[in-house]
Amino acid sequence: MEYLRAFLCGGLLCAAGQLLIDRTNLTPARILTGYVVTGVLLQAVGIYQSVVDWGGAGATVPLLGFGYSLAKGVAKAVAEQGALGILTGGLTATAGGIAAAVVFGLLAALVSRPGYKR
């Protein structure tokens, strides 16, 4: 049942993003940025934790989950370190994901051949 809830949650979040791409004039970059900001805001007001509890990885893997992780890391660091946690908490909480994106981006660049748009 956990896998089904994760599939449904992640699928709904991705379907909403696809609808935004298809039905609005928003660029994919703006939609992605909006997802991250929405994740931060929903975690800040305490709503997104219940989504994570229900959807599991379906809620934490998409970009809303990245925003959730940033906000949760900042809140934890502020509780432990005070105001310095505002600057360090988000990066500490998301360092694994950021490092993976850099490494896999580098590997993709090394393996693929660049193509130029004309």
Side-chain angles (χ1 to χ4, degrees):
M1 195 61 167
E2 184 177 341
Y3 293 129
L4 179 62
R5 286 194 313 263
F7 175 77
L8 290 174
C9 184
L12 287 173
L13 293 173
C14 292
Q18 187 64 48
L19 284 173
L20 288 171
I21 290 171
D22 292 343
R23 305 270 186 213
T24 67
N25 290 329
L26 294 172
T27 63
R30 288 186 180 186
I31 294 169
L32 296 176
T33 305
Y35 262 39
V36 173
V37 171
T38 302
V40 169
L41 294 175
L42 290 175
Q43 176 60 21
V45 296
I47 295 172
Y48 204 70
Q49 185 61 49
S50 61
V51 176
V52 169
D53 292 341
W54 183 80
T60 57
V61 172
L63 285 171
L64 282 163
F66 184 73
Y68 157 79
S69 296
L70 284 171
K72 193 171 179 181
V74 168
K76 180 181 176 188
V78 167
E80 293 174 356
Q81 303 170 353
L84 181 62
I86 296 170
L87 302 173
T88 62
L91 290 175
T92 302
T94 58
I98 293 169
V102 170
V103 168
F104 289 121
L106 175 67
L107 290 175
L110 292 174
V111 173
S112 64
R113 186 173 44 154
Y116 298 100
K117 288 188 174 185
R118 296 174 194 212

